[in-house]
Amino acid sequence: MTDAHHLLSQIQSCIPAGIETAVIALDELTLEIQPEKLLEICLKLRDEPDFDFKMLVDVCGVDYLHYGQDDWQTQSATLTGFSRGVMQKLEQVEPAKSNRFAVVYHLLSLNKNQRIRLRVNLPDHHELMVDSVINLWPSANWYEREVFDLFGIIFKGHPDLRRILTDYGFAGHPFRKDFPLIGKVEARYDAALKSVVYEPVSIELRILEPKVIRRDNRYPDEEGASHG
Amino acid sequence: MADNIPEIRNYVFNFGPQHPAAHGVLRLILEVDGETIVRADPHVGLLHRATEKLAESKPFNHSIGYMDRLDYVSMMCNEHGYVLAIEKLLGITPPVRAQYIRVMFDEITRLLNHLLWLAAHSLDNGGMAVFLYCFREREDLLDCYEAASGARMHATYYRPGGVYRDLPDKMPQFQPSKWQSAKDIAELNETRQGSLLDFIWDFTERFPSRVDEYEDLLTNNRIWKQRTVDIGIISAERAIAMGFTGPMLRASGVAWDLRKKQPYEVYDKLDFDIPVGTKGDCYDRYLVRVHEMRQSNRIIRQCVEWLRKNPGPVMIDDYKIAVPPREEMKISMEAMIHHFKNMTEGYCVPEGEAYAAIEHPKGEFGVYLVSDGANKPYRLKVRAAGFPHLAGLNELIRGYMIADVVSTLSSLDIVFGEIDR
């Protein structure tokens, strides 16, 4: 594969504006892009011979509402062992990221054998809308329908933005973090009405394993020092 | 006079979701003009289980079993994609023996997938015999799954850091029963006298001749060719734009295979070829997959040879991630604690994001994983190979006849477990 650093320097010389940040982690290049520049940058990435990203591999929505929030506070126990759960968190803190929703695109170039990831952070104060890339890559059709269905993000210019994975007549966007895992309604057959009826769920959500975030000495932090 | 001219309009009808050729639960809405397809609108999601959202609610290792149930005819390949993404974030590499085992089982899985595809494809086009022959070979391969993992289909065999356990030294044998005579049992157990590797080796010895049998029945069969040649054509350029990968892309003449282009595990040490088609029709897709089976057979043989010569660990020994061996747990308190923490809470994965892709039997199977440093994935996105293929169905069958819908649909090799997720 072409080196990610080499690709980044080519992109920086070719695309002057619209890139908020560029990060290389785990040999993968991630560009964060301003929503209004998306189509312009995508067109260059597809058609410039240096990039040649002819294939859109994936479009994915991400909801950062609960990012970095754990259910269980921990404290380090020993220098080498696990940290120890000390207190269950009851109150929810403010979201860690300012932009709640993002759309992530994965592009692939078959000729140059390289990959790139684009992320568009959607501003919270606007309506959730981003330009559709369906005219650049026809494969975006179903991917964007899926993101719309699961996250409620609208793709401007998509000719056929229908729900795709959820049921006919489904309400809500199930992959949002504030949509309960158990759902909102349950279906059953009513013999008297002779039809399927929907009612509010009767089950309760059980968390079998709390989510914990441990910054253990196993993982060095950014400065290379380990946590005690 | 105008009253006498009948009104001509297109006819819209349902195909599925309970049609046997719909390969599961596809509702396909077809608009036809006479016998010609004008528009096809697949309605998917009838098998949607929100696998990705479920995975967000449990520790990393608890979701490996869910991956089997995505594409339920290529179980271990799904696990592989998921496990690779976790390993990338953790920054660990499994031992070489585990990598060879994974490659071997990936190729066994490819055979399983292609055999089922060939069986269903020929059945859809009216050939019952090939269906039965393919299931004969699948039976042996599922026995390999069972011997290694304990489960015939949903194996949960790959783990971050290696595989669950080493290959067994003794292949399980059939036991006497009142339904089978002693002679039948002896016949069934003839190839099961040695280890699992001996059994696989024996399988690879006879498998090429079995592929010849299928080809005898199909490749030059006049009816088969009438049903598949020049049906559902897609050009290379268009296939790339539609996001096609795997055999769907290679049948259009693009020699793109992640095992060669972006090798993972030990594929760069193995010798195999990438078959490509020329036209991109149903027949080419058939030929590509049949040749892939022969190549997979070659890869399996190389893996068996290597695995016979090189014993060693199949799991990393970092007990923060891997479970300690059971013997050690009986005598060591620390091993016991590690086991308990691993089985309940699991391990935390460093903050970050990773995309790992493998050459799945159906195409590129990618897993995009976002971690916020917790013991559960923050966001898991599965890039199913069949999803863009089915999205391209409308383009593939527009202008063809109603009978071609079934040929084209089954040539896509779709499984709704992964498309609906």
Side-chain angles (χ1 to χ4, degrees):
Chain A
M1 281 180 84
T2 319
D3 191 17
H5 292 275
H6 179 61
L7 176 63
L8 177 59
S9 62
Q10 283 177 325
I11 286 173
Q12 277 164 340
S13 62
C14 183
I15 301 172
I19 298 173
E20 286 168 352
T21 57
V23 181
I24 295 174
L26 307 167
D27 289 334
E28 297 175 350
L29 174 58
T30 309
L31 303 181
E32 293 203 334
I33 287 180
Q34 293 168 357
E36 55 274 12
K37 295 278 186 186
L38 175 70
L39 288 183
E40 198 182 308
I41 291 174
C42 282
L43 185 66
K44 277 206 169 147
L45 287 175
R46 189 190 70 170
D47 289 344
E48 290 284 331
D50 279 344
F51 310 139
D52 202 29
F53 290 104
K54 288 279 187 277
M55 188 186 282
L56 174 70
V57 171
D58 192 29
V59 180
C60 163
V62 186
D63 177 2
Y64 284 101
L65 184 64
H66 295 160
Y67 192 82
Q69 291 180 14
D70 44 5
D71 305 333
W72 199 265
Q73 261 178 7
T74 56
Q75 138 191 324
S76 180
T78 63
L79 275 176
T80 54
F82 283 107
S83 53
R84 182 170 56 169
V86 288
M87 187 201 244
Q88 186 158 20
K89 276 187 187 170
L90 293 174
E91 81 287 359
Q92 287 297 318
V93 288
E94 282 295 300
K97 289 222 177 193
S98 55
N99 296 320
R100 180 174 165 189
F101 289 101
V103 182
V104 180
Y105 302 82
H106 286 92
L107 307 182
L108 170 68
S109 163
L110 303 186
N111 290 331
K112 309 287 273 186
N113 197 5
Q114 56 194 8
R115 290 179 190 273
I116 192 170
R117 177 185 304 132
L118 310 178
R119 191 203 328 276
V120 179
N121 292 316
L122 302 181
D124 283 339
H125 51 273
H126 281 141
E127 52 188 339
L128 291 171
M129 197 185 271
V130 68
D131 288 320
S132 171
V133 294
I134 194 166
N135 292 323
L136 299 172
W137 296 283
S139 58
N141 182 356
W142 277 26
Y143 289 128
E144 290 181 344
R145 279 177 65 186
E146 185 189 319
V147 177
F148 162 72
D149 186 2
L150 302 179
F151 290 92
I153 297 165
I154 294 166
F155 290 87
K156 202 163 49 187
H158 192 294
D160 186 25
L161 203 61
R162 285 175 290 155
R163 285 185 180 274
I164 183 165
L165 289 180
T166 52
D167 200 359
Y168 303 112
F170 189 87
H173 300 289
F175 273 42
R176 290 187 176 187
K177 287 282 177 179
D178 51 5
F179 192 95
L181 185 68
I182 52 172
K184 289 182 173 163
V185 289
E186 59 188 24
R188 85 182 156 82
Y189 180 74
D190 190 308
L193 292 172
K194 290 194 171 165
S195 76
V196 174
V197 291
Y198 290 88
E199 290 162 344
V201 281
S202 57
I203 52 173
E204 270 179 33
L205 178 64
R206 289 184 303 166
I207 298 175
L208 299 174
E209 276 309 320
K211 176 180 170 187
V212 292
I213 296 179
R214 298 182 188 277
R215 307 209 186 283
D216 282 354
N217 42 49
R218 288 179 285 159
Y219 310 122
D221 60 14
E222 288 80 31
E223 291 88 48
S226 63
H227 291 271
Chain B
M1 288 305 285
D3 292 349
N4 295 338
I5 300 173
E7 189 190 356
I8 297 170
R9 62 197 162 114
N10 288 350
Y11 195 71
V12 179
F13 66 94
N14 261 323
F15 177 98
Q18 304 294 349
H19 193 284
H23 289 248
V25 282
L26 168 69
R27 181 180 173 210
L28 187 60
I29 296 183
L30 292 171
E31 186 182 334
V32 291
D33 176 8
E35 285 248 10
T36 313
I37 308 290
V38 178
R39 193 173 58 89
D41 179 17
H43 284 206
V44 300
L46 283 92
L47 204 58
H48 180 55
R49 296 144 295 174
T51 305
E52 294 151 347
K53 184 153 177 121
L54 280 173
E56 288 168 15
S57 72
K58 41 181 68 59
F60 282 91
N61 271 15
H62 294 201
S63 303
I64 299 174
Y66 280 118
M67 297 300 127
D68 289 317
R69 285 145 180 90
L70 286 173
D71 180 356
Y72 43 75
V73 295
S74 19
M75 295 70 78
M76 287 203 199
C77 285
N78 305 334
E79 292 172 25
H80 201 168
Y82 179 61
V83 162
L84 273 184
I86 300 173
E87 282 173 354
K88 200 168 183 182
L89 276 173
L90 282 171
I92 54 174
T93 315
V96 195
R97 187 173 166 85
Q99 297 189 22
Y100 269 96
I101 292 176
R102 282 183 184 179
V103 167
M104 185 176 81
F105 269 102
D106 271 16
E107 296 308 318
I108 287 178
T109 309
R110 198 178 310 279
L111 291 183
L112 277 171
N113 179 80
H114 284 2
L115 283 169
L116 187 104
W117 168 81
L118 184 62
H121 190 39
S122 68
L123 187 65
D124 286 347
N125 285 327
M128 186 78 203
V130 182
F131 183 85
L132 298 171
Y133 287 137
C134 288
F135 270 73
R136 178 186 60 190
E137 268 70 70
R138 266 178 66 85
E139 193 63 23
D140 286 341
L141 294 172
L142 287 172
D143 284 350
C144 300
Y145 258 53
E146 192 178 6
S149 73
R152 288 174 69 77
M153 287 189 75
H154 302 303
T156 326
Y157 183 54
Y158 296 3
R159 298 292 148 89
V163 294
Y164 166 58
R165 64 179 182 194
D166 207 344
L167 304 172
D169 294 331
K170 199 171 176 309
M171 185 72 191
Q173 297 183 353
F174 283 97
Q175 299 301 312
S177 76
K178 60 180 174 182
W179 296 284
Q180 282 157 318
S181 68
K183 189 167 156 269
D184 291 340
I185 296 286
E187 218 166 81
L188 284 167
N189 285 337
E190 199 186 319
T191 52
R192 293 160 200 266
Q193 300 302 319
S195 67
L196 171 64
L197 287 175
D198 296 335
F199 181 75
I200 296 174
W201 183 261
D202 193 73
F203 176 84
T204 59
E205 297 267 285
R206 63 178 183 272
F207 186 64
S209 66
R210 300 287 164 89
V211 181
D212 293 341
E213 276 179 25
Y214 316 145
E215 287 219 78
D216 280 347
L217 285 165
L218 297 175
T219 304
N220 290 318
N221 183 323
R222 188 163 50 88
I223 305 168
W224 182 256
K225 284 178 114 171
Q226 280 171 347
R227 289 298 303 270
T228 55
V229 173
D230 286 340
I231 302 294
I233 297 177
I234 188 154
S235 69
E237 196 189 341
R238 200 61 198 158
I240 292 169
M242 301 291 292
F244 284 15
T245 47
M248 293 293 293
L249 183 59
R250 291 194 284 273
S252 296
V254 184
W256 177 262
D257 190 313
L258 292 178
R259 293 175 294 173
K260 285 275 188 207
K261 300 287 182 178
Q262 299 172 7
Y264 49 96
E265 310 292 10
V266 289
Y267 275 114
D268 47 351
K269 293 178 197 161
L270 299 168
D271 180 30
F272 60 100
D273 300 322
I274 303 299
V276 289
T278 49
K279 249 192 287 181
D281 58 359
C282 290
Y283 189 64
D284 276 6
R285 296 198 268 274
Y286 155 75
L287 289 178
V288 164
R289 289 198 178 98
V290 166
H291 280 90
E292 267 182 24
M293 288 205 273
R294 296 184 192 277
Q295 296 302 325
S296 293
N297 201 59
R298 264 174 82 190
I299 299 174
I300 293 172
R301 285 174 76 85
Q302 293 168 50
C303 290
V304 171
E305 276 174 341
W306 191 93
L307 286 167
R308 275 178 173 164
K309 277 183 249 156
N310 298 279
V314 294
M315 193 74 182
I316 53 165
D317 54 2
D318 179 357
Y319 295 151
K320 301 286 186 239
I321 295 162
V323 182
R326 191 148 282 272
E327 306 86 68
E328 205 177 312
M329 262 170 57
K330 308 278 185 199
I331 47 168
S332 156
M333 188 65 202
E334 201 172 339
M336 181 82 170
I337 296 169
H338 275 130
H339 183 271
F340 178 73
K341 289 303 269 185
N342 245 316
M343 286 295 152
T344 54
E345 183 187 293
Y347 45 83
C348 290
V349 167
E351 187 175 351
E353 51 188 352
Y355 179 83
I358 64 154
E359 186 67 33
H360 187 272
K362 293 182 167 60
E364 175 174 330
F365 180 89
V367 170
Y368 172 53
L369 199 59
V370 182
S371 170
D372 57 351
N375 58 336
K376 303 173 179 180
Y378 185 76
R379 171 89 169 101
L380 170 74
K381 172 76 202 315
V382 171
R383 191 265 179 204
F387 193 75
H389 296 163
L390 189 62
L393 182 69
N394 180 35
E395 190 167 320
L396 280 170
I397 62 172
R398 202 187 303 139
Y400 292 95
M401 298 288 166
I402 293 176
D404 301 331
V405 173
V406 173
S407 309
T408 311
L409 186 64
S410 62
S411 80
L412 300 181
D413 193 9
I414 45 172
V415 162
F416 281 90
E418 69 160 4
I419 289 173
D420 292 347
R421 279 159 288 147

